[in-house]
Amino acid sequence: MSSVLVAQQSAREFVARQSSLPGLCPVAQAVEVLATDASIEARGAVFTRREIVEFLLDLCGYKADRPLHKLKLLEPSFGGGDFLLPAIERLLAAWNTSHDPRLPRKALAGAIRAVELHRETFTQTRGQVIDLLSRNGLTASQSIALADAWLVNDDFLLADLPDPFDIVIGNPPYVRQERVPDVLLTEYRSRYTTIYDRADLYIPFIERSLRSLTNGGVLGFICADRWMKNRYGGPLRNLVSEQFHLKVYVDMVDTPAFHSEVIAYPAITVIARERGKSTRIAHRPPVETKALHALALDLTSSHRPEKDSAVQLIDGVASGAEPWILDSSDQMAIIRRLEAAFPLLEDTGCKVGIGVATGADKAFIGPMDELTVEEDRKLPLAMTKDIADGTVKWRGLGVINPFADDGKLVDLARYPLLKRYLESRKEQIAGRHCAQKVPANWYRTIDRITPSISETPKLLIPDIKGQAHIVFEEGKLYPHHNLYYITASQWDLKALQAVLLSSVTRLFIATYSTKMHGGFLRFQAQYLRRLRLPRWSDVPQALKTALINAADVRDLAACNAATFQLYGLSHQEKAALGGNGD
């Protein structure tokens, strides 16, 4: 289901259920709706494997050989108890060896606060907590009293909690904004400065958790890694950079970290309220108890990692709102040097854009000769399949253009064929969200179509690829929304194609893009615009020729060789990029 349809459905459900909750303020009504929603999707519930839970507890130093009853632990969204129950087991083991003479209720009541919004889940997990305490020797009344002291049935983002905490741990809910009632989202925005752009709900969860830490306190989360690099994560990255220390990062993409498949790409982060510049990094460890225990020791060690260690130590990962560079220190050094030495791509006369989104492709797109509209109301369209083999092989599709040259919609009375074509599909076209917002403009495409783009030579780039897939298009086709494109007023496009096919460009994209399953990267505009490029006028003629020739024959080794020379890479830098250093 599309995000627009999800939003519309969620809004309808919220309004319908609101009416059955008289006497509550709108925010309280919204919380009540979420608290009783039975769907896992609405709650963002994902269940974490026990091996990962134990690994995270180790990373945060929540170990039974410490006086855990003297610490305060927070679990902001405990769900089925994946983190909560193992944490309680460790707490009880530590307390049993502490020789503390106090009764359990008095000694342990302040050791844990765990929050869960969904009422049925709260009740079920509360029962498991009481059972666990009883099996560890506590009386029924002691078990109930402790469970009620620890567990809070409320919205973590709104609840009153007795912070600060020494440790915050868990797996915050992955909920998109569209699933949150508007009145509640407005309340969240008034409280949390990191809710920016299309930020998902785990962002304010991280913000509140960080702000709840004691000095020296530690947060350990496993959650989606998107915020570490994308646009909406900027304010949260800046908060971490200014007030906290990113101690540990573990890439968990393509590992069985959860009991079910997830759409998001997970990572483990350990962040402390302290100053520090070094981050210990590991990638995709085996999800096995013995291996994770050994890795936790390496990641929490005070000694520098051995050369053959799976752990890397990188300085300066968190730098303001900048995306986090979480790969090798050698590659990070290359990125930083090129960023300091060369201008941004769009400062060299290049422009990055994205193709047209229509919102109703079946209505607006079809074979050119079957689009029965005036000739100047349709354009030949480039789709991802048209460039699958690295060259343009147009399959004959076109797109309807409802816009005049001035950017306004054309008057349908002046285009009888277009009018007949669109009105015969009006139900489908007018049902789109963008059409319902302004009914008079029901026949516009989501994006404005500018015909001059089709006439301009350009490089076409599909969004999701394992390797750079850069195709030269001579200026006959309009790109579809699954394609990004680059035009250039100064650079030769063939020479630019060679640069974009090189491992230097892949390093930039891999550094700034969120990673996807199977090693695929997102070649999106926001990442393409981060590329650095010499000015065309500064490139020697012989090198210009070498770049153009390499692109003409699609010789990737030649593209790399010429691009390495273009950027003046050293022997060591070439080796770090997988070259032979020659």
Side-chain angles (χ1 to χ4, degrees), residues 74-149:
L74 170 66
E75 217 285 43
S77 180
F78 65 74
D82 291 351
F83 284 89
L84 176 62
L85 298 172
I88 293 173
E89 290 175 2
R90 293 190 178 203
L91 171 62
L92 294 175
W95 182 67
N96 285 333
T97 61
S98 70
H99 307 296
D100 190 317
R102 295 175 296 169
L103 292 173
R105 172 71 173 83
K106 187 172 183 63
L108 302 179
I112 289 176
R113 281 296 184 278
V115 185
E116 173 57 39
L117 173 59
H118 188 245
R119 191 159 298 129
E120 182 179 348
T121 301
F122 175 91
T123 301
Q124 291 173 350
T125 305
R126 177 178 177 273
Q128 294 182 62
V129 169
I130 293 170
D131 180 62
L132 174 60
L133 292 171
S134 298
R135 286 188 280 109
N136 277 269
L138 277 69
T139 67
S141 61
Q142 289 174 333
S143 300
I144 292 171
L146 265 185
D148 290 342

Side-chain angles (χ1 to χ4, degrees), residues 392-418:
V392 177
K393 293 182 179 176
W394 183 49
R395 295 173 303 133
L397 294 180
V399 61
I400 299 291
N401 177 19
F403 292 92
D405 291 342
D406 61 4
K408 298 178 181 178
L409 289 172
V410 297
D411 181 356
L412 292 182
R414 298 181 56 191
Y415 290 92
L417 296 179
L418 177 64

Side-chain angles (χ1 to χ4, degrees), residues 142-213:
Q142 289 174 333
S143 300
I144 292 171
L146 265 185
D148 290 342
W150 287 346
L151 308 185
V152 179
N153 185 199
D154 205 344
D155 182 340
F156 172 68
L157 297 178
L158 304 179
D160 290 328
L161 296 172
D163 55 18
F165 296 92
D166 301 291
I167 293 173
V168 184
I169 196 160
N171 176 8
Y174 187 76
V175 179
R176 295 189 182 279
Q177 287 188 19
E178 290 85 357
R179 298 205 68 92
V180 181
D182 288 344
V183 65
L184 192 54
L185 188 59
T186 298
E187 181 65 24
Y188 291 160
R189 287 185 183 279
S190 72
R191 295 179 181 226
Y192 300 103
T193 60
T194 59
I195 303 180
Y196 170 67
D197 196 46
R198 304 300 305 162
D200 295 313
L201 209 58
Y202 69 95
I203 295 295
F205 263 75
I206 297 174
E207 178 185 342
R208 182 173 193 190
S209 297
L210 288 173
R211 296 190 189 279
S212 299
L213 289 174

Side-chain angles (χ1 to χ4, degrees), residues 161-467:
L161 296 172
D163 55 18
F165 296 92
D166 301 291
I167 293 173
V168 184
I169 196 160
N171 176 8
Y174 187 76
V175 179
R176 295 189 182 279
Q177 287 188 19
E178 290 85 357
R179 298 205 68 92
V180 181
D182 288 344
V183 65
L184 192 54
L185 188 59
T186 298
E187 181 65 24
Y188 291 160
R189 287 185 183 279
S190 72
R191 295 179 181 226
Y192 300 103
T193 60
T194 59
I195 303 180
Y196 170 67
D197 196 46
R198 304 300 305 162
D200 295 313
L201 209 58
Y202 69 95
I203 295 295
F205 263 75
I206 297 174
E207 178 185 342
R208 182 173 193 190
S209 297
L210 288 173
R211 296 190 189 279
S212 299
L213 289 174
T214 58
N215 289 330
V218 176
L219 172 147
F221 274 176
I222 179 168
C223 64
D225 65 0
R226 292 176 177 169
W227 73 276
M228 302 172 192
K229 294 190 176 185
N230 70 8
R231 174 182 167 86
Y232 73 57
L236 182 55
R237 291 193 299 271
N238 192 61
L239 175 66
V240 173
S241 175
E242 290 185 345
Q243 301 182 33
F244 299 90
H245 173 205
L246 175 63
K247 297 184 68 173
V248 173
Y249 164 84
V250 184
D251 169 16
M252 299 301 294
V253 174
D254 288 334
T255 66
F258 304 109
H259 288 294
S260 59
E261 288 292 322
V262 295
I263 297 174
Y265 311 107
I268 287 171
T269 50
V270 177
I271 304 172
R273 186 186 280 275
E274 64 185 26
R275 300 314 300 162
K277 64 177 183 177
S278 297
T279 302
R280 289 179 180 258
I281 293 175
H283 293 277
R284 306 182 185 187
V287 181
E288 301 168 358
T289 299
K290 185 176 180 180
L292 290 174
H293 178 71
L295 180 59
L297 292 176
D298 285 345
L299 287 168
T300 55
S301 171
S302 59
H303 302 292
R304 293 192 69 85
E306 300 291 335
K307 286 187 177 180
D308 59 348
S309 172
V311 175
Q312 297 175 345
L313 191 64
I314 298 182
D315 291 342
V317 171
S319 177
E322 288 298 300
W324 289 355
I325 298 179
L326 297 158
D327 297 297
S328 77
S329 56
D330 289 343
Q331 292 183 346
M332 178 175 169
I334 296 172
I335 290 287
R336 294 303 188 212
R337 183 181 74 77
L338 297 185
E339 287 178 335
F342 300 102
L344 290 164
L345 177 78
E346 291 196 323
D347 291 336
T348 65
C350 302
K351 181 176 174 57
V352 181
I354 186 171
V356 60
T358 69
D361 281 358
K362 290 183 178 179
F364 285 100
I365 295 173
M368 278 286 283
D369 56 1
E370 295 179 15
L371 297 175
T372 53
V373 299
E374 289 78 5
E375 286 300 312
D376 65 339
R377 293 298 96 209
K378 56 185 178 181
L379 294 165
L381 187 69
M383 308 281 283
T384 301
K385 289 183 179 179
D386 294 318
I387 61 171
D389 69 352
T391 60
V392 177
K393 293 182 179 176
W394 183 49
R395 295 173 303 133
L397 294 180
V399 61
I400 299 291
N401 177 19
F403 292 92
D405 291 342
D406 61 4
K408 298 178 181 178
L409 289 172
V410 297
D411 181 356
L412 292 182
R414 298 181 56 191
Y415 290 92
L417 296 179
L418 177 64
K419 180 179 181 180
R420 186 181 307 120
Y421 180 94
L422 293 173
E423 288 186 342
S424 68
R425 297 160 175 81
K426 185 169 183 177
E427 183 177 354
Q428 179 183 0
I429 297 172
R432 298 167 304 149
H433 181 64
C434 65
Q436 292 178 346
K437 286 175 61 178
V438 186
N441 295 344
W442 66 271
Y443 57 97
R444 66 162 290 145
T445 50
I446 292 176
D447 300 317
R448 174 190 167 185
I449 293 178
T450 306
S452 60
I453 293 174
S454 64
E455 301 164 1
T456 303
K458 63 191 80 69
L459 299 176
L460 299 176
I461 308 167
D463 179 357
I464 302 173
K465 279 290 179 180
Q467 298 288 341

